[in-house]
Amino acid sequence: MKYLGSERSITQDYITHGGAEDYSGVHKSEIKINGKGKVIKIINKFKSHEDSINYNTFLEKQSVWYSNGIYECISITGKNVKMSIDELGGNQVWIETYDDNNLIILRLCHLDSVLVSLNQIVDENSVIGLQGNTGLVLSGKSITDRTYGTHVHLEATINNEFVNPRKYATGEVTTTYLNYDNGLDETKNQIKILVNQINIRALPDEVSNDLGDVYYNEYYNVLEIIDKELYTWYKVKTNNGIIGYVASSKKDKWLEYIESKVVKDVKLIYECQKDGSYLIKLYKNEKLYISK
């Protein structure tokens, strides 16, 4: 059956694996998603086969290999490989997408290589990466076989809770993504995001529910501003319909506030129909605004 765009079979289901599924297929086959999303995280530093860690060996050695947040692993080829906890999945792509209005994060692991870039909008025609065996893998094959342990590990969370990812792997559910980027609109009060990523919070405080994220170089119309001691909070509505608060640190500049240039309470008195030179008579205290 086709899983993630190629013929693959299930080697570990959601219940057995616990929080994920594993799909076995042709080594270096293309990986795609069913729908549309945005790439929010990439790990692409490991070499397939060369940086493969035998899972059973890892279970035996992990206490010895671990120090200060880093695992000093020995790969199946005898290479010394440093991995943090987040990197045990090898080369990875994290994709933000939506099922109805539910925030979905898809995490694809153990890739041979990554073929997308950070913040890229991807769809069913985009090749996310190639199936591989980087990170922790399990296989009955000889370690000399370059396809040793090759598979795709898929995790899916809905609003930060793990769910069975199979319907997203098969295409039973096609996810959607409406680009947050509204573009610069000088008729509205807006914020422009200056850092890679900021959380959208349900309330104007840093411990309220995380509703999603905003990303570098995106614009959002401002619905409300709440000023607090450490942060200024901007209430926004995304194109996905999420309404929440985005913080700007008073110490570091996370975003730029752009005030509307529209002059309020003006009245249209004349609209020019063709180019030319015109004489305009003004009276005391009157103001003239030109719009182009």
Side-chain angles (χ1 to χ4, degrees):
M1 185 173 179
K2 281 200 170 184
Y3 294 92
L4 300 170
S6 293
E7 291 290 337
R8 296 187 172 92
S9 59
I10 298 171
T11 55
Q12 283 201 85
D13 63 22
Y14 180 67
I15 295 175
T16 303
H17 203 313
E21 284 202 330
D22 285 344
Y23 307 105
S24 177
V26 176
H27 187 54
K28 296 190 178 182
S29 55
E30 293 182 348
I31 300 169
K32 298 180 179 180
I33 63 168
N34 298 290
K36 193 173 185 179
K38 183 170 186 174
V39 177
I40 61 170
K41 182 176 180 179
I42 287 174
I43 296 174
N44 191 26
K45 59 188 281 189
F46 302 109
K47 293 183 179 179
S48 200
H49 188 69
E50 185 179 322
D51 293 333
S52 300
I53 313 299
N54 182 284
Y55 183 70
N56 286 331
T57 305
F58 177 80
L59 293 180
E60 295 173 3
K61 302 285 189 180
Q62 59 178 319
S63 60
V64 177
W65 285 350
Y66 182 78
S67 177
N68 297 322
I70 299 294
Y71 289 95
E72 298 271 1
C73 301
I74 306 296
S75 77
I76 61 171
T77 64
K79 178 182 175 183
N80 294 322
V81 183
K82 290 184 179 181
M83 292 184 174
S84 66
I85 293 176
D86 286 345
E87 295 172 339
L88 295 178
N91 293 332
Q92 304 171 39
V93 175
W94 296 36
I95 297 173
E96 178 182 299
T97 184
Y98 289 82
D99 182 357
D100 290 330
N101 282 327
N102 293 314
L103 169 65
I104 311 293
I105 303 296
L106 301 177
R107 183 181 175 216
L108 300 153
C109 300
H110 307 300
L111 308 186
D112 174 86
S113 53
V114 173
L115 302 179
V116 291
S117 55
L118 192 63
N119 295 328
Q120 180 179 338
I121 304 298
V122 295
D123 58 23
E124 59 273 7
N125 297 314
S126 307
V127 179
I128 308 301
L130 302 181
Q131 179 177 312
N133 52 19
T134 54
L136 301 186
V137 295
L138 182 64
S139 177
K141 294 183 178 182
S142 166
I143 61 175
T144 60
D145 187 338
R146 298 192 71 81
T147 67
Y148 174 92
T150 185
H151 72 288
V152 182
H153 170 104
L154 176 65
E155 296 175 5
T157 59
I158 295 183
N159 299 325
N160 296 317
E161 296 290 334
F162 283 98
V163 297
N164 192 329
R166 191 177 305 176
K167 61 183 179 180
Y168 304 114
T170 61
E172 177 188 341
V173 172
T174 301
T175 59
T176 59
Y177 185 87
L178 299 175
N179 193 355
Y180 285 153
D181 189 0
N182 299 307
L184 178 61
D185 183 349
E186 293 185 347
T187 68
K188 303 281 190 349
N189 294 329
Q190 292 187 311
I191 54 173
K192 179 182 180 181
I193 309 304
L194 302 179
V195 294
N196 284 338
Q197 181 177 335
I198 310 175
N199 297 128
I200 304 172
R201 298 291 183 180
L203 298 171
D205 64 69
E206 56 268 38
V207 296
S208 65
N209 289 341
D210 182 358
L211 303 180
D213 298 286
V214 295
Y215 299 97
Y216 174 71
N217 217 30
E218 294 176 342
Y219 292 88
Y220 296 86
N221 298 335
V222 175
L223 306 178
E224 180 185 14
I225 302 175
I226 297 177
D227 196 41
K228 292 192 174 183
E229 183 179 354
L230 298 178
Y231 304 99
T232 301
W233 294 87
Y234 297 88
K235 187 176 183 181
V236 300
K237 180 178 180 180
T238 73
N239 288 341
N240 290 90
I242 294 175
I243 298 177
Y245 293 86
V246 176
S248 180
S249 168
K250 291 189 175 181
K251 182 179 178 182
D252 303 304
K253 193 172 183 181
W254 295 352
L255 57 82
E256 178 184 2
Y257 177 66
I258 305 170
E259 194 168 1
S260 167
K261 294 183 180 179
V262 172
V263 180
K264 297 182 179 180
D265 302 322
V266 297
K267 180 180 179 180
L268 177 67
I269 57 174
Y270 178 73
E271 185 172 352
C272 184
Q273 300 298 320
K274 61 180 181 179
D275 294 340
S277 299
Y278 296 85
L279 295 174
I280 299 174
K281 185 175 182 179
L282 297 176
Y283 295 90
K284 186 178 179 180
N285 296 326
E286 286 185 334
K287 299 178 180 178
L288 176 67
Y289 299 99
I290 301 296
S291 175
K292 184 177 180 180

